[in-house]
Amino acid sequence: MNSIVQKIFNGVVDGDTPGVQESVNEAIQTGLEAAAILNEGLIPAMAEVGRRFEEGEYFVPEMLISARAMKTGMAILQPLLVQNNIKAAGTVVIGTVKGDLHDIGKNLVSLMLEGAGFKVIDAGADIPAERFVEIVNTNQVDIVAMSALLTTTMTNMKATIEALETAGLRKKVKVMIGGAPVTESYAQQIGADGYAADASRAVAVARQLVSA
Ligand code: B1M
């Protein structure tokens, strides 16, 4: 890991928001690509925060402070990651499911989809099934994209698919899911049309779904 990437990594792990801001800007100035800053610095740092939480070294406040530092870094990278001016590839409504407040991965997927030319309606985090239904009802949506980071909230993905069915909207949209505890086989089990393990694969899956 080069020293500036190491600084970014340490900044997120330590929850040092001004430090992350400074080192991400410095990395950009030295010509480091936004994708490298993200994939080699910011994302591994959050994995390290998760590891420390699991080990009982970090608690929720530390995770929150690190998440804030991570978001600051992502906000600086956003314009660099969303530079393309491609015509709209389709419309995606994205949200983290009900009961789940984790939104960093969802934001990253949203960013990458925008960068790939999708129009993204970001519903936010802790989104109940009825809200997804409402958005699909009132917008021309091609894909419903759901994120979950907790094994306890994954089940709300299924609840959303069922709510779309009940509202007679299931055939109108494709559904894709993702998030750390989610798997391809879970996607098949609940009747989702697509699954992606990370943000760049999410773009490939979304493209596949709109062209299908
Ligand atoms: Co929480 N948390 N957290 N947390 N947290 C995890 C998820 C956990 C794995 C930590 C651990 O134990 N190691 C664990 C879940 C265990 C489980 O269910 N199996 C956990 C827990 C237990 C909790 C609480 C219950 C803790 C408590 O209160 N006792 C609580 C729950 C609150 C709630 O949601 N109701 C909680 C709270 C929080 C904070 C609020 C403090 C904070 C979130 C802040 C925020 O997001 N605004 C937080 C954080 C930061 C984490 C960790 C450390 C980091 C998550 C993250 O942002 N990762 C996390 C540990 C870990 O992940 N190693 C942890 C970086 C992000 C880029 O990755 O989100 O995985 P990720 O997204 C990836 C892919 O998954 C994928 O692409 C992304 C980019 O490549 N992806 C998709 C995601 N969504 C996708 C959608 C797609 C496709 C791909 O298509 C639609």
Side-chain angles (χ1 to χ4, degrees), residues 38-39 42-55 58-68 70-71 74 92-110 112-113 125-126 143-154 157 175-182 194-203 205:
L38 190 63
N39 294 324
L42 295 172
I43 293 180
M46 284 314 284
E48 174 60 16
V49 171
R51 193 195 63 76
R52 292 187 187 197
F53 179 73
E54 253 171 71
E55 301 284 312
Y58 272 19
F59 298 93
V60 172
E62 284 86 358
M63 282 206 290
L64 265 176
I65 295 166
S66 288
R68 190 169 50 196
M70 165 98 181
K71 283 185 172 187
M74 272 170 60
V92 181
V93 53
I94 190 166
T96 308
V97 294
K98 186 178 172 188
D100 201 322
L101 302 173
H102 297 87
D103 66 354
I104 295 174
K106 183 265 297 168
N107 293 347
L108 205 51
V109 173
S110 167
M112 295 297 193
L113 287 171
D126 190 15
I143 300 175
V144 173
M146 290 180 275
S147 177
L149 262 286
L150 299 171
T151 43
T152 49
T153 58
M154 278 166 72
M157 294 175 151
V175 174
M176 64 181 280
I177 62 171
V182 179
Y195 157 78
D198 58 42
S200 53
R201 270 176 273 193
V203 169
V205 171

Side-chain angles (χ1 to χ4, degrees), residues 82 84-94 109-123 135 138-145 176 203 206-207 210:
V82 189
N84 304 341
N85 276 323
I86 320 161
K87 81 171 175 51
T91 301
V92 181
V93 53
I94 190 166
V109 173
S110 167
L111 243 166
M112 295 297 193
L113 287 171
E114 273 182 343
F118 284 88
K119 179 184 168 198
V120 178
I121 302 171
D122 191 339
I135 295 173
T138 50
N139 294 271
Q140 196 66 46
V141 172
D142 300 297
I143 300 175
V144 173
M176 64 181 280
V203 169
R207 282 193 178 128
V210 287

